Amino acid sequence: MQKLPAGFLFGSATSAHQVEGGNHNDWTEWEKTAAARLARSVNSGTHYGQGPTPVWPEIREAAKTEANYISGRAAEHYERYESDLKLAAKLGLTAYRFSVEWARVEPEPGVYDEAAIGHYIAVAKTCREQNQEPFVTLWHFTLPVWAAEMGGWASDTVVERFAAYARRMGEALRPYVSHIATLNEPEVYGVVAYLLGIWPPQRRSPSGFGRVRRGMVQAHRLATHELKLANPAYKVGFCTSQAIFPASDHVQKLINDYFVHRLAGDSDWMGVQYYVKRTLGSSKGALRSDLGWELHPEGHYEVLKRLARYGKPLYVTESGLADAKDRYRAWYIEESLGSIAQATNDGVDCRGYFHWSLLDNFEWHEGFWPKFGLIEVDRDTMERRVRPSAEHYAKLIRQYQPAGAKPR
Ligand code: BGC
């Protein structure tokens, strides 16, 4: 077993809309209108252009149900965060990445909700008490309804309001948080919401796509500036989705590079999120997740090497798979950590791994059927059950982490 650097963080990740429950934002509005159509039109076919769902017969019924596409109570993490973080602590996890729901904090433009801000302070504080380094994301795909109505990231006013919200959260979280990510996977959002027209606002508009991407670049820059005013010691970054793709796939390269090229210079660190190996044609015999995505955990090495040339500390802020039966997850985590260890041994400055996800959650337009959790969530009772792969992750952490080593 290769070593990981001292202080390497072993974490898990979630996002507000996917686990909290009880949200009101552009997504909850969209779900109301989209759920019936999604339930009607779902089939065994490709998901984000990947292979067909290998578990279609098992998930068919759930996928054909309208309720699958309504985030609703999600995993009730808003109420249960404390016990969830205790479960994570029991596994020996040393970091937790969560996102703040902008719509809760700023329900009307310029009007802040102190109770909501207090909630996120409490989550960050609980992370500390449970020995997990908090990594906070300020935007993970959802917008307040007013921001969406103003045109989302295409609107200068929304970009400015985001920076002001970042300042507000930066001031509130200062006692407990060192690492903040402005945006989650802006490249995925741009493509899925504004080119493929799958996510709200469901546009297929190359010009809108361009405007929104420029808006997100500006949002990162302005928010970073405001966060540094709130606390010059903050380490501010963003999380990028990186796929592995064939050398001839120039479009994928453009997608992978756009934000990294523009934002790396303004960032103290980068979050790398890797799930997918894209192949041209079918790759026979490849293992696939429940969503049909080809499982290639050794690819962490390649994406980390690729991003290392920007000279910033890296964290794998998401990596995981939909696997309801928990067939591949233990193997996937072990291989992923091995691949990351190989990269760090070859000189890449990677300081942590956050498994996606801590909990089964709401997988956007796919709804609840894909199960990404280290911890299974019963949709009726909300009961939590730790999956065997989570115990395996716990064992790996003990092996990698010399006794008494402190996270940095
Ligand atoms: C997103 C998560 C999502 C995960 C699995 C990432 O693109 O940040 O919100 O659940 O991938 O699809």
Side-chain angles (χ1 to χ4, degrees), residues 70-87:
I70 304 280
S71 55
R73 299 156 71 199
E76 287 189 351
H77 185 62
Y78 200 80
E79 285 78 32
R80 296 167 188 258
Y81 71 88
E82 208 172 337
S83 48
D84 288 337
L85 282 167
K86 283 185 182 162
L87 278 178

Side-chain angles (χ1 to χ4, degrees), residues 18 140-141 184-185 273 275 293 318 356 363-364 372:
Q18 294 178 271
H140 197 125
F141 296 159
N184 179 71
E185 296 190 351
Q273 311 195 158
Y275 289 91
W293 304 357
E318 282 184 33
W356 183 272
E363 176 58 19
W364 307 112
F372 274 91

Side-chain angles (χ1 to χ4, degrees), residues 1 10 86-93 326 329-331 333-334 337 355 357-358 373-376 384-400:
M1 190 182 224
F10 297 91
K86 283 185 182 162
L87 278 178
K90 256 195 182 166
L91 293 168
L93 301 196
D326 210 27
R329 194 173 282 104
W331 161 80
I333 295 172
E334 185 162 346
L337 287 173
H355 188 78
S357 176
L358 178 64
L374 290 167
I375 297 173
E376 184 180 350
R384 275 52 173 160
R385 196 181 64 83
V386 174
R387 288 201 163 97
S389 56
E391 302 289 358
H392 188 72
Y393 184 21
K395 196 179 96 192
L396 291 168
I397 296 172
R398 289 193 296 274
Q399 287 173 0
Y400 271 114

Side-chain angles (χ1 to χ4, degrees), residues 14-15 18 48 97 140-141 184-185 188-189 199 239 241 273-276 291 293 317-322 356-357 361-364 366 370 372:
T14 60
S15 90
Q18 294 178 271
Y48 305 103
R97 173 173 173 243
H140 197 125
F141 296 159
N184 179 71
E185 296 190 351
V188 168
Y189 177 77
W199 289 354
C239 298
S241 166
Q273 311 195 158
Y274 164 67
Y275 289 91
V276 165
L291 279 163
W293 304 357
T317 39
E318 282 184 33
S319 163
L321 65 161
W356 183 272
S357 176
N361 61 41
F362 182 72
E363 176 58 19
W364 307 112
E366 310 281 3
F372 274 91

